[in-house]
């Protein structure tokens, strides 16, 4: 019994001795591997800095710049790790591990299809989409300024001061409205005038009032169209174009249009009627309120 314990202890000591000898032999390689990783890390940082300065001169979309910098840094770090593992003579082991990771990754891909779709959509949006940080868009019922385009989601800053995060695939796969890409926007101002006003006069006065706005888009004429016979008014729309870079540009142009129309109508005796409601007090209809009250008194 004592002999067996002695033999077992010798085997353990021999095994530990072997590991210690291997560690001593591999120590220089381990130090070199660490230095290789550090060197490649700094190379990735320097390369990203150089690429950022170069790309910023030619690429307007900052999301594309960020994407290229991330990919380049990732590739350089992976190369550094591969070289370090080669120094440690673990490249074959790593190859086997990566094969297993690939199988696991395939299974996870099916489990996280939405996350993968958001990632792919983010890459495509950064490279091909006209959406850029600072643009005003409307997507999924959300209107606001693009604050950040990430690889998973896009952050939109709405006019109420809130950040709204929308998954990239919902923007990429669905219809969205881009307001700032053309640098201009049309205001459709709807109003109504009374049935007793002269329609030709109303059109002339309305167009002149809108033309007094000093920042209208050159080359775009003010358009006026009657739309319908309303319950208490004849309704029309006056359309005009302005430069558009931010949401207040649109709101200010709309506000100035309303003020100009109201002032012009007041100066020319044109009436914007109140809604009219008829109250019917008779069973058969058409009875006057005074008649009904007189019947009740009697």
């Amino acid at each position: 019994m004592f002999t067996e314990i002695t033999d077992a202890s010798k085997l353990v000591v021999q095994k530990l001795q072997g590991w210690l000898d291997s560690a001593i032999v591999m120590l220089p390689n381990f130090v070199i591997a660490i230095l290789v990783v550090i060197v490649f890390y700094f190379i990735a940082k320097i390369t990203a800095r150089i690429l950022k300065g170069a790309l910023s001169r030619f690429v307007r979309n900052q999301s594309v710049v960020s994407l290229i910098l991330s990919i380049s840094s990732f590739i350089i770090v992976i190369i550094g790790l591969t070289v370090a593992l080669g120094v440690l003579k673990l490249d074959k082991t790593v190859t086997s591990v990566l094969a297993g990771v690939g199988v696991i990754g395939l299974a996870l891909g099916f489990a996280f299809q939405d996350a993968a779709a958001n990632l792919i959509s983010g890459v495509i949006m950064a490279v091909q989409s006209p959406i850029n940080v600072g643009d005003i868009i409307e997507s999924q019922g959300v209107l606001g300024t693009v604050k950040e385009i990430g690889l998973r989601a896009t952050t939109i800053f709405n006019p109420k001061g809130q950040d709204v995060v929308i998954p990239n695939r919902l923007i990429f796969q669905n219809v969205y409205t881009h307001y700032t890409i053309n640098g201009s926007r049309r205001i459709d101002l709807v109003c109504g005038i009374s049935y007793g006003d002269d329609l030709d006069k109303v059109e002339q006065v309305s167009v002149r009032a809108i033309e007094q706005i000093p920042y209208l888009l050159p080359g775009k004429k003010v358009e006026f169209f009657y739309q319908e016979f309303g319950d208490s008014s004849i309704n029309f729309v006056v359309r005009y174009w302005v430069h558009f870079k931010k949401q207040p540009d649109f709101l200010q142009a709309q506000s100035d249009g309303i003020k100009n129309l109201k002032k012009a109508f007041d100066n020319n005796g044109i009436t914007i009627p109140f809604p009219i409601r008829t109250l019917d007090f008779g069973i058969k209809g058409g009875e006057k309120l005074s008649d009904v009250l007189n019947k009740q008194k009697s």
Side-chain angles (χ1 to χ4, degrees):
M1 183 70 179
F2 180 76
T3 305
E4 294 178 353
I5 295 175
T6 304
D7 293 340
S9 62
K10 287 182 179 180
L11 289 174
V12 171
V13 171
Q14 290 176 358
K15 195 67 175 177
L16 292 174
Q17 186 67 40
W19 286 350
L20 180 60
D21 294 340
S22 299
I24 294 173
V25 172
M26 291 294 295
L27 184 59
N29 291 348
F30 185 73
V31 174
I32 294 174
I34 293 177
L35 292 175
V36 167
V37 172
I38 294 174
V39 168
F40 273 87
Y41 174 79
F42 282 105
I43 291 176
K45 289 288 187 182
I46 296 172
T47 303
R49 189 177 303 172
I50 295 173
L51 278 177
K52 184 177 181 179
L55 292 173
S56 298
R57 301 176 184 176
F58 304 103
V59 181
R60 175 179 172 270
N61 195 323
Q62 293 301 314
S63 300
V64 175
V65 175
S66 299
L67 178 63
I68 294 175
L69 295 180
S70 300
I71 293 176
S72 62
S73 298
F74 179 76
I75 292 175
I76 293 174
V77 171
I78 290 297
I79 293 174
L81 290 175
T82 304
V83 174
L85 293 173
V87 172
L88 294 174
K89 299 180 181 179
L90 296 175
D91 43 354
K92 293 183 179 180
T93 304
V94 173
T95 302
S96 302
V97 172
L98 289 177
V101 171
V103 175
I104 297 174
L106 182 62
L108 292 176
F110 287 103
F112 298 97
Q113 294 184 29
D114 288 345
N118 288 328
L119 177 63
I120 295 173
S121 299
V123 173
I124 297 177
M125 286 173 59
V127 175
Q128 294 184 348
S129 175
I131 298 177
N132 195 16
V133 174
D135 291 343
I136 297 176
I137 68 169
E138 183 175 4
S139 177
Q140 304 299 305
V142 178
L143 172 67
T145 304
V146 178
K147 186 176 181 179
E148 180 184 2
I149 303 176
L151 293 181
R152 187 192 67 84
T154 296
T155 302
I156 296 178
F157 184 76
N158 69 15
K160 295 182 179 180
Q162 301 163 325
D163 284 346
V164 182
V165 180
I166 303 178
N168 287 329
R169 64 183 179 84
L170 295 181
I171 299 178
F172 180 73
Q173 296 175 356
N174 294 282
V175 176
Y176 64 87
T177 303
H178 198 311
Y179 287 100
T180 52
I181 190 171
N182 294 322
S184 60
R185 189 171 175 182
R186 191 185 74 189
I187 290 91
D188 293 0
L189 196 58
V190 178
C191 188
I193 46 92
S194 69
Y195 279 88
D197 287 312
D198 185 293
L199 299 187
D200 291 330
K201 178 182 177 181
V202 170
E203 179 177 354
Q204 296 172 2
V205 170
S206 300
V207 171
R208 284 200 302 267
I210 297 301
E211 288 176 342
Q212 291 176 4
I213 298 176
Y215 49 85
L216 295 181
L217 193 67
K220 295 283 189 178
K221 61 180 293 187
V222 177
E223 298 177 312
F224 183 99
F225 301 101
Y226 285 105
Q227 291 183 302
E228 61 179 354
F229 293 99
D231 293 336
S232 56
S233 63
I234 297 178
N235 300 324
F236 66 87
V237 59
V238 57
R239 308 193 308 189
Y240 53 100
W241 291 80
V242 295
H243 292 287
F244 184 81
K245 293 183 179 179
K246 52 188 182 299
Q247 185 64 7
D249 295 341
F250 171 82
L251 297 176
Q252 187 62 53
Q254 182 176 254
S255 177
D256 289 344
I258 293 175
K259 291 192 296 183
N260 285 15
L261 275 184
K262 178 64 168 60
K263 183 177 180 180
F265 285 0
D266 290 343
N267 293 336
N268 289 273
I270 298 173
T271 303
I272 301 176
F274 294 101
I276 297 175
R277 296 291 181 266
T278 300
L279 301 179
D280 190 351
F281 296 93
I283 297 176
K284 295 183 179 180
E287 289 193 63
K288 296 181 179 180
L289 179 59
S290 58
D291 296 339
V292 174
L293 294 176
N294 291 330
K295 288 180 182 179
Q296 290 179 350
K297 290 180 180 179
S298 60

